Amino acid sequence: GSGQYDGDVPSDLDPSLPEEATDPAACGTLDVAQMSMPGGGADTGAGGTAGTSTTSFVVGGAALVAAGAAGVVVARRRSAQQG
């Protein structure tokens, strides 16, 4: 009845511990001075394909075509074996 958390509620993560042991954000008052907003945008990298050679696109495309062809061959062999 004092208005303060006394630790008599068991944790939902480990019932042998009080809730305040596993929920530290519920243990006190949040003060605006403790928080800081990040400045600027998210660092997501350079973006785009600048500096990427055409060769890497050709090799990647050829690998996709080869994988697709291999899948067709396997599917035809399975259907021939079953039928």
Side-chain angles (χ1 to χ4, degrees), residues 4-60:
Q4 294 183 349
Y5 184 74
D6 297 327
D8 56 352
V9 177
S11 168
D12 55 348
L13 298 175
D14 185 352
S16 68
L17 297 171
E19 185 177 36
E20 61 191 3
T22 58
D23 295 340
C27 295
T29 306
L30 296 176
D31 186 9
V32 176
Q34 297 172 333
M35 300 177 220
S36 64
M37 292 296 294
D43 185 12
T44 59
T49 56
T52 305
S53 69
T54 305
T55 305
S56 61
F57 286 114
V58 172
V59 170

